[in-house]
Amino acid sequence: MIAIALTYALGCFGVALLCNLWRLMRGPTVADRILALDTMVINMIALIVLYGIREGGPLTFEAALLFAMTGFVSTVALAKFVLRGNIIE
């Protein structure tokens, strides 16, 4: 039963990732594209964690943590660049 649920969740997050990619390509404003990129990071973290649960490897959770930190920093840097025009003051 858990294998079916994991497969369904992996499929749902994969479709959500494709929708985020579409929004990233077609976003009418820069803010929409930054939001799409942030949501893509969240969906990728979910995919990595679900894959780790499915395969039972502890390395994927550490990879998800590193990916989350990198995604957070990149989102903050992009938002700051859009608001102020530079990242480092």
Side-chain angles (χ1 to χ4, degrees):
M1 186 68 181
I2 192 74
I4 295 171
L6 285 173
T7 304
Y8 182 74
L10 283 169
C12 288
F13 279 108
V15 170
L17 194 62
L18 290 175
C19 291
N20 291 331
L21 185 64
W22 182 78
R23 176 54 66 188
L24 185 67
M25 298 284 201
R26 300 274 180 166
T29 64
V30 176
D32 289 334
R33 292 180 177 172
I34 291 174
L35 186 61
L37 185 66
D38 189 43
T39 310
M40 281 180 75
V41 169
I42 293 170
N43 285 332
M44 281 300 297
I45 292 167
L47 284 174
I48 291 171
V49 168
L50 287 173
Y51 181 76
I53 291 171
R54 186 176 191 174
E55 298 298 322
L59 189 60
T60 55
F61 297 113
E62 293 173 4
L65 184 64
L66 288 173
F67 199 75
M69 288 190 296
T70 306
F72 174 73
V73 170
S74 66
T75 301
V76 169
L78 277 172
K80 191 172 179 181
F81 180 76
V82 167
L83 288 176
R84 297 183 183 170
N86 60 1
I87 297 172
I88 300 172
E89 296 177 25

